[in-house]
Each structure stands twice: as C-alpha cells, then as structure tokens.
Amino acid sequence: MGTTQLDSVPEPKYWHLKTVIGEALDTDFSVGEILPNERDLAARFGVARATLRQALEQLELEGRLQRRRGVGTTVAPPRVGVDVSTTRHRWPGAADDSWRPVDCGLPEVPAAVARLLDLDPAAGAPVHMVRRIRLTHGQPVAAEQLYVPASSVPALTAIDAPSGPTRARAVLRELQRLTLDGQDRAVELGSARAEDAKELDRLPGAPVLVVTTRYFSAGRTAALSLGTYRADTCRLTFGDAGDLQIAS
Amino acid sequence: MGTTQLDSVPEPKYWHLKTVIGEALDTDFSVGEILPNERDLAARFGVARATLRQALEQLELEGRLQRRRGVGTTVAPPRVGVDVSTTRHRWPGAADDSWRPVDCGLPEVPAAVARLLDLDPAAGAPVHMVRRIRLTHGQPVAAEQLYVPASSVPALTAIDAPSGPTRARAVLRELQRLTLDGQDRAVELGSARAEDAKELDRLPGAPVLVVTTRYFSAGRTAALSLGTYRADTCRLTFGDAGDLQIAS
DNA sequence: GAGTGGTCTAGACCACGGC
DNA sequence: CCGTGGTCTAGACCACTCT
C-alpha cells in the first residue's frame, strides 16, 4: 500500500487546528475582524466544539485572538508594550505615571504580604492599601494593589478622606517624601482574581502576569506592589536601551 | 423556605473546585505528595472529569500542581526565582552563566527575527543560531535561541566544527570580544513550541514566559535572544528579588 | 429574542510511565 | 500489563450582548 509515513507521534487535532487557524489569521483576516462563530467553525473543520475551543484558547493565550461572550471572536491587535523597567528609581505615583488611583483602605494584609514587608504577622500593624488601574491608549492593562505600612508614611493624618481616590493620592504623595534606596521586581504567571478580572474587563481566572515590586527606603521595605497585567494584551518591557535604536 | 441568599452571579463549579482544592493543598498535602487520580477526584466532588480538569489546569497554571501523563498529579514546590535582570551588562555566555550550549546552526531566520535584527529579509544574510538550555538546581527551566548575525562575529572561521555545542561555544566566545553598549528586554506569555517543550520536559503548548532580549553594540543590534521559560515553575526576577514569594 | 461564547456532562479512546 | 493524564465527542444549558 502506498500509505504515507506513519505518524509515530500523531499530532493532536487541536494543535493542528491552531496552526491552520493561526495561518489563516495572517493571510485572510485583518485586525478587529470577526471570525465565524464556534459552532460554524467546528462544523467547518469537522471537529467537536470542545476541540475547536482548545485551539482558540491557545490562540487567545498567545494574544492572537480576543473572545467576548455575547459578542464573538475577533482578531486581536499586536500586544502593547508596557514599560515596567526599574532603571528609573521612582516611587509609584510620581509625576503622573499612567496609573489612576481608584481607592484606598486599611485591610487585613495576607500573611504572604506581611512577610515581604517584614511585618510581624501577629502584631497587626496598620497597612494602607492603595488600589490603582493602569491605562494604555485608554484601555485598562493592569490593576495594582500597593501596600504601604502606616509606619512608612507617619505624617499622614486620619483627618483626610478615610478612603477613596483622594485618600489614595494622599498616601502616594506622602510616599514621595521618602528617599527611595532601591527596588526589586519579579514576574510570574497567575490567574486573575475576581476583583482584578472585573477591572481588567476579563473573566475571573484569565491569565495574567503578576509583577511583584518591593520598594526599599532606609534599610527596610517601605512599600510592596502587586501588579496584575493582562497577559493576552500586554508585553512587559524592561528597556534600558530601548531608544538607542530609533536612530535607524 | 430558609434557603440562603440567591447567587445573583453563581460561581462556576470549576472555580469553586479550584478554591476548595487549593485550600486542601495548603492544609492536607505537602510538596511532592501525589493526589488521587482525576477520575476519583471527580467522583468525590460529584462533577464530570472535564470539570475537575478545568480546576486542576488552573492550579497547574498557578504553579501549585504538577501533572505528568502516566504518572499522576503532585503538589508542586514553590516557584524558583530565575534572575533575568539587565543590570549587569554582559553578553550571553559570559563567565559561565548557568546556561548550557546545546547546538548551533545557520538556519533561515523567521521574518520577525530578521526585522528585530535590522536585516533585509530579502538579502538572506547568514545568521548563527545558538541553542542553549538554562538549568537551575539541575532542572531545565528555559530554552533559548540566540540569533547572531555572521556580521557580528566576523572573525569566526568556518573551519571549526560547523555545528554542535563546540560551535555554539565558539560563537559565544566571539561575542565577548564586542563592546556591549546596552540591552533591552521584554516578557510576554506564550505557548511552548514542540521543540522547546521537549527540552523543558513539557507538552507542546504548555504556557511559557517568552523573554526577548536585544543586545546592542556599535549602534546596531548585534544579537537577539528568544528565551522560553517554564511558566509553571519559574518566577523571573529583576534585581535581587530572589526571595520574593508568591502572594496570590 | 436571537446569537454569541462559557460551563458542564458522560461517556470513549489514546499515549505514556512504571511494574 | 495496568493506571495515569491527554484528547475527543455530541450533546445540553447558562450568561451575556446586541438589536
């Protein structure tokens, strides 16, 4: 028989689908264009809807597609570069930095946060939590929880607004008065908590890049930031030489 | 009837499952311990296996679980911090840097790579591709493709081994002779190509953090690195954030 | 109300690892 | 060989958005 080479390791259907659809996106579709719905696509490729969805999920993970319930599946624009470099040593909230303060409160801090702030978990020292949203081209790309021990901003009076954006700005303003000795940063994959998902216009559990930043002042950790970036639409950039190239 | 509050927005089953299992991991299991198999777990929670798997997939994405076909599901150790800071301006391959050269060749470069290297796609100028694996605690955490235009390392003779680890080391050695003016870096989410997945001991399509680095010398891009890091086991650190822990 | 993607079910078979 | 996770099917219903 003239059968072709046996597939010693046959490729899964969804993997093949992903390749085929991915190539079609490059050639037959333009950014923003809407794809046929999942039932049609599945029928067209002769697979079950669940299998087709596996392929679409991967393409969405890679930022090639955007899916919205009740609307449809569209071709995603290229990911936007979001600068998260640590080379400029600045406190959060400095001289407008594309973040919009949303709220502020004095929550109980998770044990993991307390540990990173070098706080005694049992002591229950008060910690401000500033909540901010980062916008790029008018779209929300990140939600942040910034933990600031009250001891870092002692001059802050409780007389001002106890919560809300005004309070958030007050905390950030006080932070600028400290000397920033340094910062360090880590990036890892996570899934969006319900609260963050809402602000990012995603469903809970959506893949996100979690950026953890410690701000050091006077030999201690003066603030801790937990940034949640949309993994589908963002590319985090650390550019200490990004502009060398523009000359071309 | 004494029914409890209606769920105005009922929580999906898999989301609830994820929470329940996640808490169980903290209290009833220790690192490396093996969980009951998926069929048992699904029966125990009274859900279909597909629903249970959705919960496990999320926990794996968050680095809490590790699943291996033919073996089972185990509790994952905390993610390892992998330093990818750009503060030390060094070429890849300098004074051993936890990377192991694997191979080298002169492949056709993808159009996207050619563009980042400022090469004329039509010209077909030769480009070395060095392939390296990064090990941490003996485990592979990243696979890299380092593209070096032949024009960046003109002294490299073709007389040496034309491919293989020896050739890779020769290319890296030549790179050290150039002055490194700067570098920039970007991180985004991707899924593992079949080739990388194999080296990382994962299935194709596994979530990975793609780190793109440009190395500048003499006003041009002298090399381009595409690093593929296991997203389940790695936390990328910038600065001395090595001891930052997940705060989920 | 119509149409979309999101969730869920109850099965089946396959690929892989260890025994 | 058996048990594991990985793939796949053919349905069903739900939540959401737009008209």
PDB file of all heavy atoms in Angstrom, chain B residues 159-171:
ATOM      1  N   ILE B 159      36.114  26.923   9.734  1.00  0.00           N
ATOM      2  CA  ILE B 159      36.971  25.737   9.811  1.00  0.00           C
ATOM      3  C   ILE B 159      36.629  24.894  11.035  1.00  0.00           C
ATOM      4  O   ILE B 159      36.732  23.680  11.023  1.00  0.00           O
ATOM      5  CB  ILE B 159      38.458  26.154   9.854  1.00  0.00           C
ATOM      6  CG1 ILE B 159      38.765  26.952   8.584  1.00  0.00           C
ATOM      7  CG2 ILE B 159      39.364  24.944   9.964  1.00  0.00           C
ATOM      8  CD1 ILE B 159      40.122  27.587   8.560  1.00  0.00           C
ATOM      9  N   ASP B 160      36.201  25.576  12.096  1.00  0.00           N
ATOM     10  CA  ASP B 160      35.828  24.845  13.307  1.00  0.00           C
ATOM     11  C   ASP B 160      34.638  23.946  13.025  1.00  0.00           C
ATOM     12  O   ASP B 160      34.125  23.906  11.918  1.00  0.00           O
ATOM     13  CB  ASP B 160      35.458  25.839  14.421  1.00  0.00           C
ATOM     14  CG  ASP B 160      36.621  26.754  14.738  1.00  0.00           C
ATOM     15  OD1 ASP B 160      37.772  26.300  14.634  1.00  0.00           O
ATOM     16  OD2 ASP B 160      36.365  27.922  15.079  1.00  0.00           O
ATOM     17  N   ALA B 161      34.207  23.255  14.039  1.00  0.00           N
ATOM     18  CA  ALA B 161      33.019  22.422  13.922  1.00  0.00           C
ATOM     19  C   ALA B 161      31.888  23.263  13.351  1.00  0.00           C
ATOM     20  O   ALA B 161      31.631  24.367  13.833  1.00  0.00           O
ATOM     21  CB  ALA B 161      32.631  21.874  15.287  1.00  0.00           C
ATOM     22  N   PRO B 162      31.193  22.796  12.329  1.00  0.00           N
ATOM     23  CA  PRO B 162      30.144  23.597  11.708  1.00  0.00           C
ATOM     24  C   PRO B 162      28.853  23.630  12.521  1.00  0.00           C
ATOM     25  O   PRO B 162      27.974  24.441  12.266  1.00  0.00           O
ATOM     26  CB  PRO B 162      29.913  22.881  10.374  1.00  0.00           C
ATOM     27  CG  PRO B 162      30.301  21.453  10.640  1.00  0.00           C
ATOM     28  CD  PRO B 162      31.394  21.498  11.676  1.00  0.00           C
ATOM     29  N   SER B 163      28.749  22.755  13.495  1.00  0.00           N
ATOM     30  CA  SER B 163      27.541  22.745  14.318  1.00  0.00           C
ATOM     31  C   SER B 163      27.860  22.065  15.636  1.00  0.00           C
ATOM     32  O   SER B 163      28.992  21.675  15.881  1.00  0.00           O
ATOM     33  CB  SER B 163      26.400  22.004  13.613  1.00  0.00           C
ATOM     34  OG  SER B 163      26.732  20.636  13.494  1.00  0.00           O
ATOM     35  N   GLY B 164      26.873  21.947  16.507  1.00  0.00           N
ATOM     36  CA  GLY B 164      27.073  21.277  17.779  1.00  0.00           C
ATOM     37  C   GLY B 164      27.536  22.225  18.865  1.00  0.00           C
ATOM     38  O   GLY B 164      27.774  23.409  18.619  1.00  0.00           O
ATOM     39  N   PRO B 165      27.661  21.716  20.078  1.00  0.00           N
ATOM     40  CA  PRO B 165      27.994  22.549  21.237  1.00  0.00           C
ATOM     41  C   PRO B 165      29.325  23.273  21.076  1.00  0.00           C
ATOM     42  O   PRO B 165      29.461  24.425  21.517  1.00  0.00           O
ATOM     43  CB  PRO B 165      28.071  21.544  22.389  1.00  0.00           C
ATOM     44  CG  PRO B 165      27.399  20.306  21.914  1.00  0.00           C
ATOM     45  CD  PRO B 165      27.411  20.312  20.433  1.00  0.00           C
ATOM     46  N   THR B 166      30.269  22.623  20.425  1.00  0.00           N
ATOM     47  CA  THR B 166      31.575  23.266  20.257  1.00  0.00           C
ATOM     48  C   THR B 166      31.434  24.541  19.431  1.00  0.00           C
ATOM     49  O   THR B 166      31.979  25.596  19.770  1.00  0.00           O
ATOM     50  CB  THR B 166      32.555  22.306  19.565  1.00  0.00           C
ATOM     51  OG1 THR B 166      32.604  21.081  20.304  1.00  0.00           O
ATOM     52  CG2 THR B 166      33.932  22.921  19.487  1.00  0.00           C
ATOM     53  N   ARG B 167      30.677  24.421  18.351  1.00  0.00           N
ATOM     54  CA  ARG B 167      30.426  25.578  17.511  1.00  0.00           C
ATOM     55  C   ARG B 167      29.687  26.668  18.307  1.00  0.00           C
ATOM     56  O   ARG B 167      30.013  27.855  18.188  1.00  0.00           O
ATOM     57  CB  ARG B 167      29.587  25.141  16.298  1.00  0.00           C
ATOM     58  CG  ARG B 167      29.239  26.266  15.351  1.00  0.00           C
ATOM     59  CD  ARG B 167      30.457  26.806  14.650  1.00  0.00           C
ATOM     60  NE  ARG B 167      30.127  27.656  13.510  1.00  0.00           N
ATOM     61  CZ  ARG B 167      31.038  28.170  12.702  1.00  0.00           C
ATOM     62  NH1 ARG B 167      32.320  27.915  12.908  1.00  0.00           N
ATOM     63  NH2 ARG B 167      30.682  28.927  11.695  1.00  0.00           N
ATOM     64  N   ALA B 168      28.708  26.250  19.102  1.00  0.00           N
ATOM     65  CA  ALA B 168      27.953  27.209  19.906  1.00  0.00           C
ATOM     66  C   ALA B 168      28.886  28.002  20.811  1.00  0.00           C
ATOM     67  O   ALA B 168      28.799  29.231  20.909  1.00  0.00           O
ATOM     68  CB  ALA B 168      26.904  26.475  20.747  1.00  0.00           C
ATOM     69  N   ARG B 169      29.806  27.281  21.455  1.00  0.00           N
ATOM     70  CA  ARG B 169      30.740  27.975  22.346  1.00  0.00           C
ATOM     71  C   ARG B 169      31.648  28.930  21.581  1.00  0.00           C
ATOM     72  O   ARG B 169      31.991  30.004  22.080  1.00  0.00           O
ATOM     73  CB  ARG B 169      31.578  26.929  23.109  1.00  0.00           C
ATOM     74  CG  ARG B 169      30.931  26.525  24.428  1.00  0.00           C
ATOM     75  CD  ARG B 169      31.792  25.534  25.200  1.00  0.00           C
ATOM     76  NE  ARG B 169      31.632  24.185  24.687  1.00  0.00           N
ATOM     77  CZ  ARG B 169      30.761  23.294  25.187  1.00  0.00           C
ATOM     78  NH1 ARG B 169      30.029  23.623  26.225  1.00  0.00           N
ATOM     79  NH2 ARG B 169      30.654  22.095  24.674  1.00  0.00           N
ATOM     80  N   ALA B 170      31.996  28.554  20.358  1.00  0.00           N
ATOM     81  CA  ALA B 170      32.855  29.428  19.552  1.00  0.00           C
ATOM     82  C   ALA B 170      32.138  30.742  19.240  1.00  0.00           C
ATOM     83  O   ALA B 170      32.715  31.822  19.340  1.00  0.00           O
ATOM     84  CB  ALA B 170      33.249  28.710  18.265  1.00  0.00           C
ATOM     85  N   VAL B 171      30.849  30.649  18.891  1.00  0.00           N
ATOM     86  CA  VAL B 171      30.082  31.868  18.603  1.00  0.00           C
ATOM     87  C   VAL B 171      30.004  32.738  19.850  1.00  0.00           C
ATOM     88  O   VAL B 171      30.228  33.955  19.799  1.00  0.00           O
ATOM     89  CB  VAL B 171      28.663  31.522  18.104  1.00  0.00           C
ATOM     90  CG1 VAL B 171      27.816  32.779  17.993  1.00  0.00           C
ATOM     91  CG2 VAL B 171      28.727  30.794  16.771  1.00  0.00           C
TER      92      VAL B 171
END
